[in-house]
Amino acid sequence: MPRPEPMPGYGQLLQRGYQSLAGAVRSCTDCGWELSRRTWAENASLAWSETLLCLLCAIGWTLLRRAASGCLFRPFGEWCNLQPKDAAKMPESAWKLLFYTLSWSYSAYLLFFTEYPFFHDPPSVFYGWEKGMDVPTDIGIAYLLQGSFYGHSIYATVYMDAWRRDSIVMLIHHVVTLMLIVFSYTFRFHNVGILVLFLHDISDVQLEFTKLNVYFKHRGGIYHRLNDVISDLGCLTFSISWFWFRLYWFPLKVLYATCHTSLQSVPNIPFYFFFNALLFALTLMNVYWFLYIVLFVAKVLTGQMQEVNDVREYDLEESEKTTGPRKVGELQLPKSWKEGKHLKNGLIKDKRL
């Protein structure tokens, strides 16, 4: 097995990635629909039973969420005497925190407590690749959980979650993520998939944990300073981890492996361009949301914001005063969208005059 290659810098990623992509373009003399069809027929490995099992698990996640919200999260919010708007949003964040904590913990276990070297040696994700190769059971379990959950999440964003100004963007994110999960499993790129999931789930854990503390800082008609301090710290760690995991480790570990070293291990790797295009789209979304995080931090440092809050639903409540509430199963675009206002994702702070 080759000696682990040191992690490159951004310059090496751009230079070597560009060279590999350009070389792949020049060498692909018969690229087109016919090649794609033939490559799919020769390399795809996805049984109908696996697809059905994933669909059933997605339905299971939906039923489990309804049961957990009705029997656990909502009663707990009522017992804590949360403000009505916070009590309505708390079950969603509690559910997501529970799942992402479990999923990230499991991917961390696979990467750091088993024999898989993918985190410390990312190019190894393609060592020994063969079409139709067996997927290890422990990695297969992670794929089943994640694929079915993102299938559930597409449904939940439309019919179960609070409709926010960034819900359309979240739908796109869930579709791209589900495509990556299904595609990487079908063509046996599952090793790199585990690394991608590990590098992304940690930010969701911190985001939902911070939002829960925002909801719990005013309960029982009393302000709780501890939850406010924790939410402030959560914003800080969320901002740092977003950059470190999604904009530093993700491109230098994952994109470098998929763009450059993959061609060294598997010269004729199937769907090289499509797979990397999906990963680039995911990177662009990470950069897009990080720009808002930077803007958020800048306003905090300049004293323009004083209290952590998630105001996406607040803006929707204002729009509903003029457009009416959204019915179940109906997509109601807020007025701010029609006026062309910018979308913001995540946590921002209330401006006190």
Side-chain angles (χ1 to χ4, degrees):
M1 182 175 293
R3 188 175 181 178
E5 181 179 344
M7 191 172 71
Y10 288 112
Q12 292 174 308
L13 169 64
L14 294 174
Q15 179 185 10
R16 297 175 184 176
Y18 173 77
Q19 291 174 349
S20 297
L21 284 167
V25 171
R26 289 192 298 268
S27 63
C28 190
T29 56
D30 59 343
C31 288
W33 170 252
E34 181 59 29
L35 176 62
S36 298
R37 187 194 62 79
R38 187 170 65 250
T39 302
W40 180 280
E42 294 175 354
N43 295 276
S45 182
L46 181 65
W48 282 107
S49 58
E50 294 172 321
T51 304
L52 179 60
L53 179 59
C54 186
L55 178 61
L56 291 176
C57 288
I59 297 173
W61 284 122
T62 303
L63 298 176
L64 182 60
R65 173 174 172 176
R66 291 189 185 279
S69 297
C71 301
L72 178 61
F73 300 141
R74 289 196 186 96
F76 182 71
E78 294 173 358
W79 182 77
C80 292
N81 197 16
L82 298 180
Q83 295 183 3
K85 64 182 182 67
D86 294 332
K89 295 177 290 185
M90 186 273 288
E92 177 187 337
S93 289
W95 166 254
K96 291 180 180 178
L97 176 63
L98 178 62
F99 173 81
Y100 285 121
T101 300
L102 293 175
S103 64
W104 184 79
S105 299
Y106 185 61
S107 61
Y109 162 76
L110 292 177
L111 291 175
F112 296 102
F113 297 96
T114 64
E115 74 279 4
Y116 300 125
F118 310 139
F119 181 82
H120 301 291
D121 186 19
S124 67
V125 297
F126 293 106
Y127 294 166
W129 179 89
E130 296 178 0
K131 62 179 180 180
M133 61 189 296
D134 292 334
V135 178
T137 301
D138 49 7
I139 292 181
I141 292 173
Y143 261 75
L144 176 61
L145 294 177
Q146 293 276 2
S148 59
F149 183 81
Y150 275 98
H152 150 78
S153 296
I154 293 174
Y155 170 86
T157 300
V158 178
Y159 295 105
M160 300 178 72
D161 294 350
W163 189 256
R164 303 179 175 90
R165 293 187 298 168
D166 68 339
S167 292
I168 294 296
V169 180
M170 290 306 300
L171 273 174
I172 297 174
H173 170 271
H174 294 337
V175 170
V176 170
T177 303
L178 184 59
M179 289 177 65
L180 276 169
I181 291 173
V182 174
F183 180 83
S184 61
Y185 182 86
T186 301
F187 292 94
R188 297 308 190 247
F189 302 150
H190 48 273
N191 293 340
V192 69
I194 292 298
L195 189 55
V196 172
L197 293 170
F198 168 78
L199 294 176
H200 282 76
D201 283 353
I202 183 62
S203 299
D204 294 306
V205 172
Q206 293 175 306
L207 175 62
E208 301 304 335
F209 177 75
T210 301
K211 289 168 64 176
L212 282 175
N213 278 277
V214 170
Y215 302 152
F216 277 87
K217 68 183 177 182
H218 293 291
R219 62 182 188 274
I222 302 174
Y223 164 76
H224 294 265
R225 181 170 179 77
L226 177 61
N227 294 106
D228 198 10
V229 172
I230 293 176
S231 64
D232 286 337
L233 293 175
C235 285
L236 177 62
T237 59
F238 168 73
S239 303
I240 295 173
S241 71
W242 186 283
F243 171 81
W244 195 262
F245 281 78
R246 296 192 179 205
L247 298 182
Y248 180 65
W249 274 343
F250 176 66
L252 299 186
K253 288 181 177 290
V254 174
L255 292 184
Y256 185 77
T258 59
C259 290
H260 178 59
T261 62
S262 62
L263 293 176
Q264 298 175 350
S265 301
V266 190
N268 295 318
I269 187 169
F271 288 100
Y272 171 81
F273 298 109
F274 179 71
F275 185 47
N276 280 290
L278 291 177
L279 291 172
F280 284 143
L282 190 59
T283 304
L284 289 176
M285 283 187 281
N286 289 339
V287 172
Y288 174 78
W289 293 125
F290 186 69
L291 295 177
Y292 287 108
I293 295 175
V294 171
L295 178 62
F296 160 71
V297 172
K299 291 185 176 182
V300 171
L301 295 177
T302 57
Q304 299 180 48
M305 296 180 175
Q306 301 299 325
E307 182 183 357
V308 176
N309 203 356
D310 185 347
V311 301
R312 291 175 295 170
E313 295 89 353
Y314 173 78
D315 289 342
L316 180 58
E317 289 168 5
E318 283 190 333
S319 69
E320 287 179 347
K321 293 178 180 179
T322 57
T323 63
R326 179 170 67 100
K327 298 179 181 179
V328 175
E330 176 185 356
L331 294 181
Q332 178 75 49
L333 295 181
K335 183 180 179 181
S336 58
W337 290 15
K338 301 174 183 178
E339 295 174 350
K341 296 182 179 179
H342 294 292
L343 308 181
K344 294 184 180 179
N345 180 35
L347 301 171
I348 67 176
K349 292 195 172 187
D350 288 333
K351 183 174 180 181
R352 303 298 185 186
L353 300 180

